[in-house]
Amino acid sequence: MSTDQKGTRILARTFFNQLRASGYTPHQVIGIATELLDLVTADLKEGDKAVAVQATQEQGAEWRQRA
């Protein structure tokens, strides 16, 4: 297992343990995890849109230079 994977696993375990120690139920932890996944998914989609816009702008600039 790589160092990055170990760090991620340690962080997740620490976060989970803190949530449980604070009184969150397993179902609430699942809700938090689901919300985190939704946020990451939205962030990735926004990143994909930004890449697509940048590519379109670059293509337009190339076309204008040829014309």
Side-chain angles (χ1 to χ4, degrees):
M1 183 179 295
S2 75
T3 304
D4 287 345
Q5 289 173 327
K6 286 180 184 178
T8 301
R9 176 172 266 174
I10 290 168
L11 179 61
R13 187 173 301 234
T14 301
F15 185 47
F16 172 79
N17 288 336
Q18 288 178 344
L19 289 172
R20 292 294 286 141
S22 296
Y24 286 86
T25 67
H27 290 298
Q28 289 173 317
V29 173
I30 290 171
I32 292 166
T34 301
E35 183 61 29
L36 284 170
L37 289 171
D38 288 345
L39 291 167
V40 170
T41 300
D43 193 46
L44 289 172
K45 286 180 182 178
E46 287 300 315
D48 290 345
K49 286 180 187 176
V51 169
V53 167
Q54 183 178 1
T56 302
Q57 289 173 344
E58 288 173 0
Q59 288 172 350
E62 288 176 19
W63 184 81
R64 284 189 297 272
Q65 289 175 354
R66 289 183 193 158

